[in-house]
Amino acid sequence: MHLVKREGGIWHYWRRVPKRFADVDSRVFVKISLETRELAKAERAKVVVEQELEIFWHSLKRGGGDNARERYFAALERARLEGFEYRPAAELVQDVQSVIARLERLEAMGAFPADEKVAELVEDLKPARDALMGMAAVPELTLSTALDQFYTYTKDTVRKKSTDQVRRWKAPRLKAINNLIALIGDKPVSQITRQDALQLKSWWVERVVEEEYTPNSANKDIGHLAQVIDTLNDLMKLGLDRPFAKLRLSEAEQKTRPAFEIDRLRAMVLDPRKLEGLNEEAVLIIQAMVETGMRPIEICNLDPSDIVLKHNVPHVKIRPSNTRELKTAYSKRDIPLVGISLTALQAAPNGFPRYRDRSSQLSANINKFLRGHDLLPTEDHSLYSIRHTFQDRLTAVDMPDRVQTELMGHKFNRPKYGSGPTLEHKLEWLERIAITIDRTGNSSSDQPLLL
């Protein structure tokens, strides 16, 4: 390998094609203009060109295989080495000057021989034609495999991070991709649409409104997706029109659900006629929320082992699992079962399989039913309002702040000492507001005004 100054004083890089790459590059010598007349600049450029040439030869080796993705990346590398940016044919035809320049380069390479016999000898230039004219087939990269390719492109971003930092950097991006897959399926990245992105935003708005997530959580998730998809789109020339652009949630989209008036909620959950027509699991979930204040997603994902009925204090355990995480670390808690909620979970000791991992569907179904039967006082009320009512009821009996936060799954904003309130201690407070249902369907409570 050496530098040669050609006519006009421009330095060029010359190198014989190594024997190990002769089967994929038929040239005897490689000649590349370094586009400078200064030797010092040429020496620096030579190092870069040499590295790219090695990458190019290895990409040709990969491109000769059956892997569509490797062939596509080989085309991107080939176009770059020939001095052009790879552009899909559909985009390229709109730029006449670029088409002419690429055709001239191919002609200089001998890619368009007039003699048919000679044409057979330049078949190895077909990858060059595909690369320069944007005819390489775009590989089928699905969402589930997109992150591996994204990580390959962003190695420089994490090169100075520790192993744990890399893990924490990857985790939210994996979570964001999995959220999208759960909504739209494992689609090819090249087929993601603006409608898919809007569906994701609607899903996040629902979570912000119904599950106490913040717009900031939604914006981070959408931002991670935009980073992954846009990076792949730019580098792989997928032709997407930035589907996740300008989807940030505003603080105005974080509404606080009002609580129910006590009498109205009591009438709704105790009168069988009020919820007639709603499926049994949905009715039991509503009743389970009344005395526990659990989030709908927490109730939907209760496993049989989380419902502890054979205990001196029957209770539910809110825990993460291998496939589900909790909203926050403070959400992990044990809640004693009393009154109507105890009765509901005694009727559903195995949980609610119909709605497991489908809390959004549960909320949509129940809210539609409640709205259609005039059981919601205002447009701002929803199923989640029962949780807000539970909080009001805890406050009304002057329950200590720490016990309240332990039951609600909130952060206790003071230094935390000791092991916290026991099940027996929580039970003592919850019994003060419990509704019980006797066999005739009548309700009773030591403090009926608190529900």
Side-chain angles (χ1 to χ4, degrees):
M1 63 195 77
H2 54 279
L3 296 175
V4 174
K5 183 178 287 189
R6 303 190 69 182
E7 189 175 330
I10 300 296
W11 287 98
H12 284 67
Y13 174 89
W14 278 58
R15 182 178 178 182
R16 180 183 291 275
V17 175
K19 290 182 179 180
R20 67 182 183 279
F21 297 119
D23 60 326
V24 292
D25 191 341
S26 61
R27 295 172 294 180
V28 178
F29 289 98
V30 175
K31 302 178 282 290
I32 301 173
S33 171
L34 300 177
E35 300 180 358
T36 182
R37 292 182 173 85
E38 298 180 25
L39 179 58
K41 289 183 179 180
E43 290 285 357
R44 290 194 295 271
K46 182 184 76 169
V47 175
V48 175
V49 168
E50 191 166 26
Q51 291 175 341
E52 291 195 347
L53 190 58
E54 289 287 342
I55 292 173
F56 166 67
W57 278 327
H58 284 287
S59 72
L60 285 183
K61 279 286 191 182
R62 296 196 309 268
D66 294 330
N67 190 309
R69 190 183 306 176
E70 297 291 359
R71 290 197 298 273
Y72 182 73
F73 293 141
L76 267 60
E77 292 285 353
R78 181 64 182 261
R80 186 163 59 89
L81 188 70
E82 297 293 350
F84 297 92
E85 177 189 8
Y86 181 85
R87 296 167 66 183
E91 174 187 329
L92 191 59
V93 294
Q94 301 176 35
D95 186 348
V96 176
Q97 294 302 318
S98 183
V99 171
I100 293 173
R102 291 163 190 253
L103 289 173
E104 289 176 346
R105 173 61 184 147
L106 288 169
E107 186 175 18
M109 295 167 62
F112 305 120
D115 190 325
E116 292 184 4
K117 292 183 178 181
V118 178
E120 296 177 3
L121 301 178
V122 294
E123 180 61 25
D124 61 322
L125 289 177
K126 183 180 183 301
R129 293 197 296 272
D130 291 346
L132 295 189
M133 303 313 295
M135 299 174 67
V138 177
E140 193 84 338
L141 183 69
T142 62
L143 283 169
S144 61
T145 59
L147 277 180
D148 287 338
Q149 194 60 54
F150 171 75
Y151 295 150
T152 298
Y153 286 140
T154 53
K155 285 181 179 179
D156 61 313
T157 305
V158 299
R159 71 182 189 281
K160 292 185 178 180
K161 295 182 185 292
S162 67
T163 301
D164 186 60
Q165 287 174 325
V166 171
R167 179 188 60 78
R168 287 187 282 115
W169 181 81
K170 288 182 174 181
R173 289 159 180 82
L174 176 60
K175 181 180 177 183
I177 287 289
N178 286 338
N179 284 340
L180 186 59
I181 291 174
L183 283 175
I184 67 172
D186 193 14
K187 292 181 67 171
V189 175
S190 61
Q191 295 179 21
I192 292 175
T193 65
R194 180 68 169 179
Q195 190 59 41
D196 294 330
L198 291 173
Q199 184 178 345
L200 178 72
K201 181 179 180 180
S202 296
W203 179 75
W204 265 114
V205 169
E206 182 74 13
R207 297 187 85 188
V208 167
V209 172
E210 297 290 352
E211 299 177 23
E212 297 180 335
Y213 282 86
T214 65
N216 185 53
S217 296
N219 291 335
K220 285 183 178 179
D221 191 77
I222 294 171
H224 290 317
L225 271 174
Q227 181 193 34
V228 172
I229 302 303
D230 288 350
T231 297
L232 295 174
N233 183 42
D234 291 343
L235 295 177
M236 296 180 64
K237 305 298 179 184
L238 300 180
L240 297 177
D241 191 20
R242 300 197 178 278
F244 295 94
K246 298 181 180 180
L247 288 185
R248 291 181 60 83
L249 273 66
S250 68
E251 293 298 324
E253 289 172 284
Q254 185 174 13
K255 298 178 182 178
T256 300
R257 289 295 186 192
F260 283 101
E261 292 181 3
I262 300 302
D263 290 340
R264 189 175 188 116
L265 181 58
R266 179 190 288 111
M268 182 177 75
V269 298
L270 293 179
D271 186 345
R273 295 169 298 179
K274 296 288 187 181
L275 299 178
E276 188 176 358
L278 195 58
N279 69 78
E280 182 183 8
E281 283 195 22
V283 172
L284 291 175
I285 286 172
I286 291 174
Q287 294 175 344
M289 284 186 69
V290 171
E291 311 285 15
T292 65
M294 284 188 286
R295 301 176 177 95
I297 192 172
E298 293 172 340
I299 300 180
C300 288
N301 291 330
L302 286 173
D303 289 326
S305 60
D306 297 327
I307 302 170
V308 185
L309 299 174
K310 295 181 180 180
H311 192 278
N312 62 322
V313 181
H315 61 281
V316 290
K317 300 186 295 183
I318 311 300
R319 298 287 189 275
S321 70
N322 293 332
T323 57
R324 295 184 299 272
E325 61 180 15
L326 299 180
K327 179 178 181 291
T328 68
Y330 312 105
S331 298
K332 179 181 176 181
R333 63 200 189 278
D334 296 336
I335 306 174
L337 293 172
V338 299
I340 192 172
S341 294
L342 174 59
T343 303
L345 285 165
Q346 285 173 333
N350 293 318
F352 306 96
R354 177 172 183 164
Y355 291 110
R356 186 161 287 123
D357 290 324
R358 303 176 75 184
S359 61
S360 294
Q361 180 182 346
L362 167 80
S363 295
N365 290 349
I366 291 180
N367 288 333
K368 181 179 179 181
F369 178 90
L370 297 180
R371 200 167 288 116
H373 290 75
D374 296 322
L375 295 174
L376 298 179
T378 71
E379 290 186 358
D380 291 332
H381 281 77
S382 73
L383 170 66
Y384 211 83
S385 295
I386 297 177
R387 178 169 161 83
H388 288 265
T389 306
F390 180 72
Q391 174 70 83
D392 285 351
R393 294 166 65 206
L394 302 184
T395 302
V397 293
D398 295 322
M399 183 180 291
D401 289 346
R402 184 164 182 181
V403 181
Q404 288 193 42
T405 58
E406 289 274 352
L407 290 170
M408 294 294 295
H410 289 160
K411 181 179 180 181
F412 184 55
N413 290 315
R414 289 202 312 232
K416 187 174 181 180
Y417 297 100
S419 56
T422 63
L423 274 173
E424 289 76 13
H425 191 190
K426 296 175 187 175
L427 176 64
E428 178 184 341
W429 283 100
L430 287 178
E431 285 180 334
R432 300 186 185 191
I433 64 171
I435 293 179
T436 57
I437 305 177
D438 63 29
R439 293 182 181 178
T440 64
N442 297 319
S443 66
S444 63
S445 172
D446 292 338
Q447 299 195 32
L449 293 180
L450 302 177
L451 187 60

